[in-house]
Amino acid sequence: MKSVLRNAFAVLGGLIIGSVVNMGLIMVSGNVIPPPEGVDVASMESLKANMHLFEVQHFIFPFLAHALGSLVGAIFAGMLATTRKMIFAVAISMFFMIGGIMNVFILPSPTWFIVVDLVLAYIPMGLLGGAIAASRGKARPQVQA
C-alpha cells in the first residue's frame, strides 16, 4: 500500500513540478525575447491572429518550456517511484505530449515547430528523465575515510 501511495505521489508531483517549470519558462519568455510589436501574449485571440508575425526566435522558449517541463517532471516521477521508474517517467512526458497535441489544435503554429516540438520535446525527454532517475537510484560504492 505504501508503494502505491508513493507511486501516486510520484505521478502527481511530476505533473505539478513539470507544469511549474513549463509555465515559469513561458512567463519569462517575453522578457527575454519580446513578442512581435502589437501582440498580446496573454490573449489567445491575439496569438491566433498574429501567429504569422512570430519568427524562429519566438519559438525557442515554448520549445524549452515543453522539453524542460517534461524532463523535470519525468525525473521527479522516476526518482520518487518505487518500481518501474522508466514507465512513470515516460508516462509524465506522455501526459505533457497530450497537452502539446491539444495545443496544436488550439493555437495554430508553423508546421516545422509542431514537428520539432512533438518529436523532440516530450518522449525523448521522458526517456532521458527516466534514465537519469534510474541512474540516481543505483547504489554507489561508499568511500571510507
Side-chain angles (χ1 to χ4, degrees), residues 12 17 30 32 34 39 46 60 71 74 85 87 90 103 109 119-121 141:
L12 182 62
I17 288 176
V32 178
V39 178
S46 178
I60 293 171
L71 177 64
K85 294 178 178 294
I87 291 173
V90 172
N103 195 46
S109 300
V119 170
L120 300 177

Side-chain angles (χ1 to χ4, degrees), residues 2 5 8 17 24 45 47 54 68 70 73 77 89 101 125 138 142:
K2 185 178 178 183
L5 289 174
I17 288 176
E45 290 76 29
L47 285 172
F54 283 72
L68 294 177
S70 293
I101 291 168
M125 294 298 116
K138 293 181 182 171
Q142 297 295 322

